[in-house]
Amino acid sequence: MTVETAAQVIDGKAFAAGLRGRIADAVPAFVAATGRAPGLAVVLVGDDPASAVYVGSKGKATVAAGMASFEHRLPATATQDEVETLLARLNADDAVDGILLQLPLPGHLDEQAAVAAIDPDKDVDGLTPVSAGRLALGIPGMVPCTPYGCLLLLQDRLGDLSGKDAIVVGRSILVGKPMGQLLLGANATVTMAHSRTKDLPALVRRADIVVAAVGRAEMVKGDWIKPGAIVIDVGINRLPPADGAAKGRLVGDVDYAEVAAVADAITPVPGGVGPMTIACLLRNTLVAAHRRAGLADPEGF
Ligand code: NDP
């Protein structure tokens, strides 16, 4: 008889709920010290329905944590100048601690220039060149929410990451690159893999920690995984609908069934990394608010 050991499921939804609760608990002390709530401004340009849903849920989570939410909508026809003028106004607004420019922007706009117009101290998405530079240099700054959420899940599971062999599959500015920097900062030995990497399965097989951020459904297979590894699946991919279904199933970049039979622990999709992203956005807003007010960073985040 073969006995398969199933991996533990890393419950990102529960972890994120706990983090959001701790953030909400920390808000009253900030209000008492400053006379105002931390504020997050979200800017949506155009009327992309998925972006509108994200912006709505970010606003609700902000208010639920006791923070002030400011939503700014510009039409799809907005000019670069209009977007940057709004960002400059938010940079100068003392009630605003965090600015999130919902991406993607309509095609006629210069996304990089718009992101770079955000004050790095309010850059709660961690996407400005200054934030990326601070992360690379290891000085305090704003860290992109999704990889920061992955780091929290890994540290919760493993404690100290020193000396662990980690591989990050994917090198995007949003996820892969900052994830690599965070793991390096936590003293892991980091391999960065991408579409030109040779013999990816062999590299993944060496790793104690696997972070998959590729955007390819179920690419990472069970026989790529070292027994006992921790697997963080950032991917969100929708499969084609099965017969008669209106929508296909959501899956990650990891073949969950195969990998769960080998790994020590794995994040599910949905319910793993996804919920951590908004929780870390609130965390970044709280931290940015403290730094802007000249207060010490809140403890435990
Ligand atoms: P990008 O498309 O920006 O980057 C994908 C990366 O994967 C690139 O670096 C690319 O390499 C690499 N890649 C592509 N194909 C292969 C391959 N066959 N082998 C190895 N590497 C490959 O994606 P993102 O980083 O923005 O997102 C990745 C996934 O995470 C997506 O599914 C996205 O939906 C999801 N996501 C989830 C979030 C969440 O909150 N849970 C938040 C953000 C993203 P190269 O650079 O060489 O082209």
Side-chain angles (χ1 to χ4, degrees):
M1 193 177 81
T2 52
V3 180
E4 272 191 357
T5 44
Q8 298 234 353
V9 179
I10 300 175
D11 188 346
K13 204 170 160 187
F15 191 95
L19 179 56
R20 282 165 63 164
R22 283 186 283 127
I23 292 165
D25 289 346
V27 167
F30 180 85
V31 176
T34 64
R36 66 177 187 85
L40 173 64
V42 180
V43 177
L44 176 62
V45 186
D47 37 29
D48 177 62
S51 292
V53 170
Y54 293 141
V55 166
S57 48
K58 284 167 188 170
K60 272 192 209 141
T62 307
V63 172
M67 300 188 191
S69 166
F70 311 101
E71 203 175 300
H72 294 269
R73 289 177 183 243
L74 292 176
T77 52
T79 63
Q80 187 78 19
D81 195 43
E82 283 166 335
V83 174
E84 292 187 20
T85 300
L86 171 58
L87 293 172
R89 189 151 63 75
L90 297 173
N91 285 342
D93 186 342
D94 242 358
V96 172
D97 297 292
I99 301 170
L100 185 145
L101 177 62
Q102 184 66 45
L103 303 177
L105 296 180
H108 66 283
L109 295 172
D110 180 343
E111 210 164 87
Q112 250 187 341
V115 168
I118 296 169
D119 177 348
D121 293 337
K122 297 188 177 188
D123 174 26
V124 283
D125 241 355
L127 294 179
T128 62
V130 172
S131 296
R134 286 174 175 165
L135 180 59
L137 294 175
I139 54 181
M142 291 287 122
V143 175
C145 302
T146 301
Y148 191 73
C150 296
L151 181 75
L152 291 182
L153 292 177
L154 283 167
Q155 288 176 327
D156 181 57
R157 181 88 210 162
L158 292 171
D160 186 9
L161 306 186
S162 288
K164 299 280 182 200
D165 265 316
I167 188 163
V168 181
V169 191
R171 57 173 166 179
S172 70
I173 290 168
L174 187 63
V175 188
K177 278 186 185 153
M179 187 75 245
Q181 296 282 1
L182 286 169
L183 288 165
L184 202 54
N187 297 318
T189 303
V190 184
T191 302
M192 296 294 305
H194 46 77
S195 67
R196 316 287 171 89
T197 297
K198 286 187 192 143
D199 201 358
L200 182 59
L203 287 175
V204 174
R205 226 171 268 130
R206 291 194 335 214
D208 307 307
I209 294 169
V210 179
V211 180
V214 185
R216 286 179 180 254
E218 301 177 319
M219 186 186 85
V220 176
K221 298 296 178 192
D223 63 0
W224 298 21
I225 300 296
K226 176 160 93 176
I230 310 288
V231 180
I232 305 288
D233 190 354
V234 183
I236 303 174
N237 310 287
R238 197 171 284 284
L239 294 178
D243 286 347
K247 272 190 194 173
R249 215 160 43 88
L250 275 188
V251 296
D253 292 339
V254 172
D255 188 321
Y256 187 87
E258 281 190 23
V259 171
V262 185
D264 177 60
I266 181 170
T267 56
V269 177
V273 173
M276 293 299 291
T277 300
I278 288 188
C280 289
L281 176 66
L282 301 178
R283 177 263 176 202
N284 279 356
T285 304
L286 184 72
V287 170
H290 278 74
R291 290 180 185 167
R292 291 188 59 253
L295 300 171
D297 279 4
E299 289 202 15
F301 299 101

